Amino acid sequence: MTPTPDDATATTPDDPPIRAAFIGAGMMGRAHTHAARAAGARLVSVVASRPERAAAAAAELGVESGSADVAGALAADPDVVHVLSPNSLHVPQAREVIAAGRHVICEKPLATSADDARSLLRAAEAAGVSHAVPFVYRYHPMIREARARIAAGGEDVLSIDARYLQDWLIEKDDDNWRATGDGGPSRAFADIGSHLFDAIEFVSGRRVAAVNAVTSRVYATRAGREISNEDIAAVLFRLEGGAPGVALVSQVAAGHKNGLELEVHTTSEAYRFEQERPGTLRIGRRGSTEILEQDPAALAPDAARLAHVPAGHPTGYQDAFNAFVRDAYAAIRGERPEGLPTFADGVRAAQVTDAVLASAASGGWVETPSEN
Ligand code: SOE
């Protein structure tokens, strides 16, 4: 199906649809194109590794054209380019997009080091383009509800218990570019620990000041190739102000598919969010524990704006993705949506990842930078 221009509905009668291009296809290509279409965009180009693959991806994803390089995508005159390629290509490709004066959405990890991530942030700021990173778990209404209650409660955060467990790389012959190719020096932590620690800081409102990490690589080789990055990261951390936390990040935890779980303990309440059961928030209290349902009528405004259906209809992964892209496009139009993750958050994730790797290498505590 190749859409015609009238398939993309502008969000208001006089707004022309945002023209979106995508560098990369696959699972992220499906998520991003679906979200862009839901946000009313016109999907003008998709880049894949070879011309024939690009044409197939365009047909599969409902994009007007396919090309084999970034220049081809830019020739389609997009307003925004979604960079979905392997991690090591993010910096050169995002730079090319920014140099062309286009807005940019770049998958996490933004870059494989904090210095490279910061160079992209500076370039986007200098070019005056909008920039965003899909830390999409921020877009679950119950994540926003926990954040709003902690902020409004004004209580101390006493501790944090967090985990992000998957098992898609548990077999020795489970292979993926993240492990065997250009994934970068960190894999499990950069790939999903970045989501978890973004959520830790976003929900608690506190910065992770220092980490003490142990990493583990289960297989020295996969598919006959040497493996240099980690399958597991166990992280002890300290928030600014001194509160302790623990986090386990693993892509080899049998039976866990996408198990992001976060529990923030404050002076009188504990808020627990589980991504695989996103329609509720557990609020623990000494006297009574409550399971709060995702009912838009009962949520804080910033949570309710993301819940478009009644209680009992949980927000799914694609819904959260759609809300993220809707906010990213609102930012392109000059709005300032609450909690939009930008390249500054991509730099922050890279800083924490660098600190985790440094701590795992040294065996001791490593402070994280207090600014980008
Ligand atoms: C694989 O670990 C992956 O697709 C991540 O790359 C995504 O960011 C995460 O949301 C789901 O798992």
Side-chain angles (χ1 to χ4, degrees):
M1 171 198 78
T2 302
T4 56
D6 58 7
D7 283 356
T9 50
T11 50
T12 61
D14 54 359
D15 269 355
I18 281 180
R19 298 167 59 86
F22 307 84
I23 302 176
M27 169 190 165
M28 282 300 137
R30 288 190 294 277
H32 279 258
T33 52
H34 186 102
R37 187 173 289 114
R42 181 173 162 186
L43 283 55
V44 296
S45 179
V46 59
V47 176
S49 49
R50 300 182 308 281
E52 64 277 13
R53 177 77 194 98
E60 175 195 340
L61 297 172
V63 179
E64 292 175 21
S65 65
S67 65
D69 57 23
V70 177
L74 293 173
D77 192 24
D79 299 305
V80 60
V81 180
H82 297 234
V83 178
L84 319 175
S85 46
N87 301 346
S88 61
L89 298 177
H90 290 179
V91 171
Q93 291 177 340
R95 277 195 171 286
E96 192 173 347
V97 169
I98 292 165
R102 311 305 164 124
H103 305 291
V104 57
I105 294 172
C106 185
E107 265 295 338
K108 32 55 59 187
L110 180 58
T112 55
S113 74
D115 287 346
D116 282 352
R118 191 178 302 108
S119 73
L120 280 185
L121 172 61
R122 299 289 178 262
E125 289 172 336
V129 297
S130 185
H131 47 90
V133 177
F135 288 120
V136 294
Y137 299 113
R138 294 187 178 195
Y139 282 85
H140 280 288
M142 301 316 266
I143 279 270
R144 299 267 174 150
E145 181 68 16
R147 177 179 186 244
R149 287 178 178 235
I150 290 169
E155 295 191 338
D156 288 340
V157 170
L158 307 183
S159 55
I160 289 181
D161 179 15
R163 61 183 355 194
Y164 195 160
L165 305 180
Q166 301 174 332
D167 66 4
W168 66 287
L169 287 171
I170 195 170
E171 304 289 349
K172 179 171 176 46
D173 57 7
D174 286 332
D175 187 15
N176 179 268
W177 57 262
R178 292 175 181 81
T180 54
D182 31 16
S186 168
R187 186 215 326 143
F189 193 87
D191 186 22
I192 61 174
S194 56
H195 278 300
L196 186 61
F197 276 73
D198 177 73
I200 285 168
E201 295 193 333
F202 184 68
V203 171
S204 71
R206 273 70 171 179
R207 192 173 57 82
V208 171
V211 296
N212 196 329
V214 174
T215 57
S216 165
R217 179 176 61 246
V218 174
Y219 304 114
T221 64
R222 288 177 183 266
R225 277 176 280 191
E226 293 293 316
I227 299 298
S228 60
N229 50 32
E230 81 286 352
D231 293 299
I232 303 165
V235 184
L236 184 62
F237 59 91
R238 186 176 64 241
L239 297 178
E240 57 184 336
V246 293
L248 180 63
V249 174
S250 172
Q251 295 183 309
V252 292
H256 293 278
K257 304 311 171 189
N258 200 38
L260 184 157
E261 300 181 9
L262 172 60
E263 187 165 302
V264 180
H265 309 116
T266 70
T267 310
S268 62
E269 295 182 327
Y271 300 93
R272 180 175 185 78
F273 173 79
E274 298 182 3
Q275 192 275 150
E276 291 180 354
R277 281 167 289 285
T280 61
L281 181 69
R282 182 183 187 274
I283 304 176
R285 302 180 187 93
R286 180 164 176 171
S288 68
T289 288
E290 174 187 5
I291 302 300
L292 183 67
E293 292 288 343
Q294 181 182 300
D295 178 353
L299 297 182
D302 188 40
R305 76 180 180 94
L306 301 174
H308 303 293
V309 288
H313 300 73
T315 292
Y317 174 78
Q318 188 65 53
D319 300 312
F321 226 109
N322 293 359
F324 159 73
V325 170
R326 192 166 53 242
D327 271 8
Y329 287 5
I332 288 171
R333 290 200 168 102
E335 296 175 37
R336 297 178 63 80
E338 173 61 30
L340 175 69
T342 70
F343 277 17
D345 302 292
V347 171
R348 180 62 191 151
Q351 289 173 334
V352 177
T353 302
D354 285 357
V356 163
L357 290 181
S359 171
S362 69
W365 282 94
V366 174
E367 303 283 324
T368 68
S370 57
E371 54 192 26
N372 280 335

